[in-house]
Amino acid sequence: MTLQIATINTGTCRARHGWPMLAVSIIQPRRMPRAILSSSRMYATTTPTGFAALHTLLRSLGQIVLQGNAATGACVLAALVICDPRLACAALIGAVSANVSAVLAGCDEQDTRAGLHGFNGALAALASFTFIADDATAAAIAILAATATAWMLDPWSRLLQRFHFCCYSSPCLTVTWIWLALVGPVAHTATPHGASATPSVISSMDVLHGVLAGVAQTTFASGALPGVLVVAGIAASSRRHACWALAGAALATGGQVLSGTALSSLDAGLPGFNGALTALAVADCGAAATIAAVAFSVLLQQLASHLGLTAMTAPFVIATWCAHGISRLATGQRNTSRITSI
């Protein structure tokens, strides 16, 4: 089909005693070069779609449990919805804010699509909604904190790579500790990471519930059903990692129970979440290294609780760094992994 362009020119017709005359000329345009047409088609095929953005968002949530998998992210989101829709909204706000900030900052597109820029933002937003009761204030701090994690991730990762470490959730920890020191937490009904209470009698069913809740607590959720969903999400990416997450949560929970943890903390999953994350991160170093790292994370978490510190996932990060460092010294190899999850 040929397009025609009409141009209208005005003039004066002498034969009509000065009446305006419209002169219409039809112009046949030149055919568009094939190179331009082919480049347009290529641009259309490479333009990100809504599904690509959705996959990036879900991978960001999946990276919270070290799985760059969209199905894992969907299970994490479902666990948050079941536990508290407020937390689900927080995770979405943080992940979107961090991913948009990463794009504006010109960060590596491949890393952004893998969810490496979004998960720390999701964690920072979850921390904001956990420690702040007012929704408006929590949302404002969540957006600012998520943006900060996205902007600091690349330079912080380059610094850590000099020592052959991954950043994991350290950007979220840094930003959260800064705003907590500046504004302080607002009272909230939820028990924050690292809190403790009076010990009480604990049954075997309480321990089983605590193990599943510990896996759920890796995403700031709590409860056995959210824990089952998170385990299912990890299994969708790797059944081996799902087994290690359960094993790490069980080892950490058992150690905390023997040391006299409170039933309320056990119900919330606080004793086991650092152990689950540590097992996920150190599983490739071998069973002995993984068990030792989980035990070290338990000791660090107990120390932070004794000192009254808001540790969150710091025991996991420190224990994992130590385990990978010792493993490199023992084997003489460098860790070249680009995984920078929680």
Side-chain angles (χ1 to χ4, degrees):
M1 180 178 180
T2 304
L3 297 177
Q4 295 181 344
I5 302 176
T7 60
I8 302 177
N9 300 319
T10 60
T12 303
C13 182
R14 298 179 181 177
R16 294 291 182 181
H17 304 287
W19 282 59
M21 180 185 68
L22 299 179
V24 180
S25 59
I26 306 299
I27 301 176
Q28 296 287 344
R30 291 180 297 175
R31 182 173 297 178
M32 186 178 295
R34 292 184 177 179
I36 298 178
L37 291 174
S38 61
S39 63
S40 299
R41 297 190 187 101
M42 183 181 298
Y43 175 78
T45 58
T46 58
T47 301
T49 63
F51 287 106
L54 178 61
H55 284 171
T56 299
L57 178 62
L58 292 178
R59 290 189 193 102
S60 299
L61 300 180
Q63 286 286 1
I64 294 177
V65 286
L66 284 79
Q67 310 299 316
N69 187 289
T72 306
C75 290
V76 168
L77 184 60
L80 291 171
V81 170
I82 290 175
C83 176
D84 187 354
R86 186 173 181 266
L87 292 178
C89 293
L92 293 175
I93 289 172
V96 170
S97 299
N99 283 326
V100 171
S101 299
V103 172
L104 295 177
C107 298
D108 186 83
E109 183 180 356
Q110 183 178 358
D111 288 348
T112 302
R113 291 185 177 181
L116 298 181
H117 291 115
F119 82 94
N120 263 294
L123 285 172
L126 286 166
S128 300
F129 276 80
T130 298
F131 292 111
I132 299 177
D134 181 68
D135 290 340
T137 304
I141 293 183
I143 294 173
L144 293 175
T147 301
T149 61
W151 281 80
M152 73 171 291
L153 181 63
D154 280 358
W156 179 239
S157 296
R158 287 193 295 269
L159 177 62
L160 289 178
Q161 283 174 1
R162 296 180 181 179
F163 306 96
H164 314 293
F165 289 136
C166 300
C167 68
Y168 298 107
S169 59
S170 57
C172 165
L173 292 171
T174 303
V175 172
T176 302
W177 284 337
I178 289 174
W179 73 254
L180 279 175
L182 293 176
V183 302
V186 181
H188 193 271
T189 55
T191 304
H193 285 59
S196 60
T198 305
S200 57
V201 179
I202 297 175
S203 66
S204 58
M205 290 302 298
D206 293 330
V207 174
L208 178 60
H209 181 278
V211 170
L212 292 174
V215 179
Q217 192 62 239
T218 59
T219 65
F220 282 83
S222 61
L225 181 56
V228 171
L229 286 174
V230 174
V231 171
I234 298 174
S237 176
S238 171
R239 286 177 290 182
R240 176 174 173 269
H241 285 168
C243 293
W244 272 117
L246 286 172
L251 288 172
T253 301
Q256 296 273 25
V257 168
L258 292 177
S259 64
T261 191
L263 181 59
S264 59
S265 296
L266 187 63
D267 288 338
L270 298 179
F273 74 96
N274 272 303
L277 291 170
T278 304
L280 282 169
V282 191
D284 293 337
C285 295
T290 303
I291 294 173
V294 170
F296 187 40
S297 72
V298 171
L299 292 177
L300 290 174
Q301 186 171 343
Q302 287 183 337
L303 177 62
S305 178
H306 178 72
L307 297 176
L309 301 176
T310 305
M312 295 183 287
T313 56
F316 144 67
V317 174
I318 296 173
T320 301
W321 283 347
C322 292
H324 282 298
I326 294 173
S327 177
R328 284 196 305 272
L329 291 176
T331 60
Q333 298 177 351
R334 294 182 177 181
N335 180 13
T336 58
S337 174
R338 297 184 66 191
I339 298 297
T340 54
S341 289
I342 176 175

